[in-house]
PDB file of all heavy atoms in Angstrom:
ATOM      1  N   GLU A  64      91.786 124.317  90.643  1.00 87.00           N
ATOM      2  CA  GLU A  64      91.798 125.674  91.208  1.00 87.00           C
ATOM      3  C   GLU A  64      90.435 126.334  91.060  1.00 87.00           C
ATOM      4  O   GLU A  64      89.926 126.958  92.001  1.00 87.00           O
ATOM      5  CB  GLU A  64      92.863 126.525  90.531  1.00 87.00           C
ATOM      6  CG  GLU A  64      92.925 127.939  91.064  1.00 87.00           C
ATOM      7  CD  GLU A  64      93.914 128.808  90.315  1.00 87.00           C
ATOM      8  OE1 GLU A  64      94.526 128.350  89.334  1.00 87.00           O
ATOM      9  OE2 GLU A  64      94.055 129.972  90.717  1.00 87.00           O
ATOM     10  N   GLY A  65      89.825 126.197  89.891  1.00 85.00           N
ATOM     11  CA  GLY A  65      88.504 126.777  89.681  1.00 85.00           C
ATOM     12  C   GLY A  65      87.468 126.197  90.629  1.00 85.00           C
ATOM     13  O   GLY A  65      86.634 126.925  91.178  1.00 85.00           O
ATOM     14  N   SER A  66      87.533 124.899  90.859  1.00 85.00           N
ATOM     15  CA  SER A  66      86.593 124.262  91.782  1.00 85.00           C
ATOM     16  C   SER A  66      86.800 124.761  93.202  1.00 85.00           C
ATOM     17  O   SER A  66      85.838 125.041  93.922  1.00 85.00           O
ATOM     18  CB  SER A  66      86.767 122.742  91.751  1.00 85.00           C
ATOM     19  OG  SER A  66      86.396 122.240  90.497  1.00 85.00           O
ATOM     20  N   LEU A  67      88.054 124.879  93.606  1.00 81.00           N
ATOM     21  CA  LEU A  67      88.344 125.343  94.968  1.00 81.00           C
ATOM     22  C   LEU A  67      87.921 126.797  95.165  1.00 81.00           C
ATOM     23  O   LEU A  67      87.441 127.169  96.235  1.00 81.00           O
ATOM     24  CB  LEU A  67      89.834 125.187  95.286  1.00 81.00           C
ATOM     25  CG  LEU A  67      90.320 123.747  95.401  1.00 81.00           C
ATOM     26  CD1 LEU A  67      91.830 123.714  95.579  1.00 81.00           C
ATOM     27  CD2 LEU A  67      89.631 123.032  96.547  1.00 81.00           C
ATOM     28  N   ARG A  68      88.079 127.616  94.155  1.00 80.00           N
ATOM     29  CA  ARG A  68      87.695 129.023  94.275  1.00 80.00           C
ATOM     30  C   ARG A  68      86.184 129.201  94.389  1.00 80.00           C
ATOM     31  O   ARG A  68      85.708 130.209  94.902  1.00 80.00           O
ATOM     32  CB  ARG A  68      88.220 129.833  93.096  1.00 80.00           C
ATOM     33  CG  ARG A  68      89.714 130.040  93.145  1.00 80.00           C
ATOM     34  CD  ARG A  68      90.162 130.914  91.982  1.00 80.00           C
ATOM     35  NE  ARG A  68      91.587 131.069  91.961  1.00 80.00           N
ATOM     36  CZ  ARG A  68      92.260 131.982  92.671  1.00 80.00           C
ATOM     37  NH1 ARG A  68      91.612 132.802  93.446  1.00 80.00           N
ATOM     38  NH2 ARG A  68      93.570 132.055  92.589  1.00 80.00           N
ATOM     39  N   GLN A  69      85.405 128.225  93.922  1.00 81.00           N
ATOM     40  CA  GLN A  69      83.950 128.322  94.009  1.00 81.00           C
ATOM     41  C   GLN A  69      83.425 127.943  95.386  1.00 81.00           C
ATOM     42  O   GLN A  69      82.284 128.252  95.720  1.00 81.00           O
ATOM     43  CB  GLN A  69      83.294 127.415  92.969  1.00 81.00           C
ATOM     44  CG  GLN A  69      83.491 127.894  91.560  1.00 81.00           C
ATOM     45  CD  GLN A  69      82.874 126.941  90.550  1.00 81.00           C
ATOM     46  OE1 GLN A  69      82.229 125.972  90.909  1.00 81.00           O
ATOM     47  NE2 GLN A  69      83.082 127.225  89.282  1.00 81.00           N
ATOM     48  N   LEU A  70      84.245 127.278  96.181  1.00 78.00           N
ATOM     49  CA  LEU A  70      83.807 126.844  97.503  1.00 78.00           C
ATOM     50  C   LEU A  70      83.689 128.040  98.436  1.00 78.00           C
ATOM     51  O   LEU A  70      84.452 128.992  98.359  1.00 78.00           O
ATOM     52  CB  LEU A  70      84.796 125.837  98.086  1.00 78.00           C
ATOM     53  CG  LEU A  70      84.988 124.555  97.264  1.00 78.00           C
ATOM     54  CD1 LEU A  70      86.039 123.685  97.922  1.00 78.00           C
ATOM     55  CD2 LEU A  70      83.688 123.803  97.118  1.00 78.00           C
ATOM     56  N   ARG A  71      82.753 127.983  99.300  1.00 72.00           N
ATOM     57  CA  ARG A  71      82.543 129.040 100.286  1.00 72.00           C
ATOM     58  C   ARG A  71      82.764 128.450 101.680  1.00 72.00           C
ATOM     59  O   ARG A  71      82.360 127.314 101.941  1.00 72.00           O
ATOM     60  CB  ARG A  71      81.110 129.572 100.202  1.00 72.00           C
ATOM     61  CG  ARG A  71      80.764 130.144  98.853  1.00 72.00           C
ATOM     62  CD  ARG A  71      81.412 131.512  98.686  1.00 72.00           C
ATOM     63  NE  ARG A  71      81.078 132.115  97.415  1.00 72.00           N
ATOM     64  CZ  ARG A  71      81.916 132.162  96.381  1.00 72.00           C
ATOM     65  NH1 ARG A  71      83.097 131.638  96.477  1.00 72.00           N
ATOM     66  NH2 ARG A  71      81.561 132.723  95.258  1.00 72.00           N
ATOM     67  N   PRO A  72      83.368 129.211 102.596  1.00 67.00           N
ATOM     68  CA  PRO A  72      83.613 128.687 103.942  1.00 67.00           C
ATOM     69  C   PRO A  72      82.346 128.213 104.639  1.00 67.00           C
ATOM     70  O   PRO A  72      82.365 127.237 105.386  1.00 67.00           O
ATOM     71  CB  PRO A  72      84.221 129.871 104.690  1.00 67.00           C
ATOM     72  CG  PRO A  72      84.707 130.795 103.653  1.00 67.00           C
ATOM     73  CD  PRO A  72      83.879 130.559 102.423  1.00 67.00           C
ATOM     74  N   GLU A  73      81.226 128.891 104.394  1.00 63.00           N
ATOM     75  CA  GLU A  73      79.995 128.499 105.077  1.00 63.00           C
ATOM     76  C   GLU A  73      79.510 127.118 104.659  1.00 63.00           C
ATOM     77  O   GLU A  73      78.709 126.499 105.348  1.00 63.00           O
ATOM     78  CB  GLU A  73      78.894 129.538 104.881  1.00 63.00           C
ATOM     79  CG  GLU A  73      78.531 129.825 103.442  1.00 63.00           C
ATOM     80  CD  GLU A  73      79.346 130.940 102.800  1.00 63.00           C
ATOM     81  OE1 GLU A  73      80.370 131.347 103.365  1.00 63.00           O
ATOM     82  OE2 GLU A  73      78.944 131.383 101.712  1.00 63.00           O
ATOM     83  N   GLN A  74      80.003 126.606 103.527  1.00 64.00           N
ATOM     84  CA  GLN A  74      79.620 125.261 103.113  1.00 64.00           C
ATOM     85  C   GLN A  74      80.227 124.208 104.031  1.00 64.00           C
ATOM     86  O   GLN A  74      79.758 123.085 104.075  1.00 64.00           O
ATOM     87  CB  GLN A  74      80.088 124.991 101.682  1.00 64.00           C
ATOM     88  CG  GLN A  74      79.348 125.801 100.641  1.00 64.00           C
ATOM     89  CD  GLN A  74      79.933 125.583  99.262  1.00 64.00           C
ATOM     90  OE1 GLN A  74      81.129 125.751  99.073  1.00 64.00           O
ATOM     91  NE2 GLN A  74      79.099 125.212  98.325  1.00 64.00           N
ATOM     92  N   PHE A  75      81.286 124.576 104.736  1.00 64.00           N
ATOM     93  CA  PHE A  75      82.000 123.600 105.535  1.00 64.00           C
ATOM     94  C   PHE A  75      81.948 123.892 107.020  1.00 64.00           C
ATOM     95  O   PHE A  75      82.462 123.137 107.814  1.00 64.00           O
ATOM     96  CB  PHE A  75      83.472 123.538 105.088  1.00 64.00           C
ATOM     97  CG  PHE A  75      83.588 123.165 103.653  1.00 64.00           C
ATOM     98  CD1 PHE A  75      83.763 124.137 102.692  1.00 64.00           C
ATOM     99  CD2 PHE A  75      83.477 121.849 103.264  1.00 64.00           C
ATOM    100  CE1 PHE A  75      83.848 123.796 101.355  1.00 64.00           C
ATOM    101  CE2 PHE A  75      83.556 121.505 101.935  1.00 64.00           C
ATOM    102  CZ  PHE A  75      83.745 122.478 100.976  1.00 64.00           C
ATOM    103  N   GLY A  76      81.341 125.000 107.407  1.00 61.00           N
ATOM    104  CA  GLY A  76      81.263 125.361 108.816  1.00 61.00           C
ATOM    105  C   GLY A  76      80.257 124.488 109.540  1.00 61.00           C
ATOM    106  O   GLY A  76      79.298 123.972 108.966  1.00 61.00           O
ATOM    107  N   ALA A  77      80.501 124.325 110.822  1.00 61.00           N
ATOM    108  CA  ALA A  77      79.557 123.567 111.644  1.00 61.00           C
ATOM    109  C   ALA A  77      78.259 124.350 111.776  1.00 61.00           C
ATOM    110  O   ALA A  77      78.261 125.578 111.842  1.00 61.00           O
ATOM    111  CB  ALA A  77      80.169 123.321 113.021  1.00 61.00           C
TER     112      ALA A  77
END
Side-chain angles (χ1 to χ4, degrees):
E64 180 184 3
S66 294
L67 292 174
R68 288 183 183 275
Q69 290 178 5
L70 300 177
R71 300 284 181 257
E73 58 271 13
Q74 291 175 306
F75 301 98

